[in-house]
Amino acid sequence: LGMKSKATGKRVPAAIASGSAEVRAAFLAGLFDSDGCLATNSRGVGVAFVTTASPGLLQDLRRLMQLEGVAVKLYPQRVQ
């Protein structure tokens, strides 16, 4: 994600974005394992949360998840 860039400038590395489905899925799994949360809501639907200061990273993550067939909805702040 770029150790030399500030939090607001983080992006998904090009090698991940253009990688195979297995590479993208492994990246997302690691990201949510370390910086996110996976849960089930009251209706039994799986939900994922990740917080970032980088608008670009958020859009990159949305694209990766959509490529994996995951529906995405972004919120400006975490929904409690």
Side-chain angles (χ1 to χ4, degrees):
L1 294 176
M3 298 300 290
K4 294 183 181 181
S5 63
K6 295 186 179 214
T8 56
K10 300 288 185 185
R11 300 299 299 254
V12 170
I16 301 295
S18 64
S20 67
E22 292 80 13
V23 167
R24 294 189 309 264
F27 175 82
L28 289 169
L31 180 80
F32 282 104
D33 189 42
S34 63
D35 290 335
C37 173
L38 300 174
T40 304
N41 69 14
S42 60
R43 296 180 307 199
V45 176
V47 294
F49 297 98
V50 66
T51 303
T52 179
S54 171
L57 178 59
L58 196 58
Q59 294 304 322
D60 292 349
L61 293 174
R62 177 207 309 244
R63 181 69 183 136
L64 286 183
M65 293 184 75
Q66 289 172 331
L67 286 171
E68 296 308 312
V70 177
V72 177
K73 179 154 176 98
L74 301 178
Y75 295 95
Q77 296 180 359
R78 182 174 176 185
V79 177
Q80 298 294 326

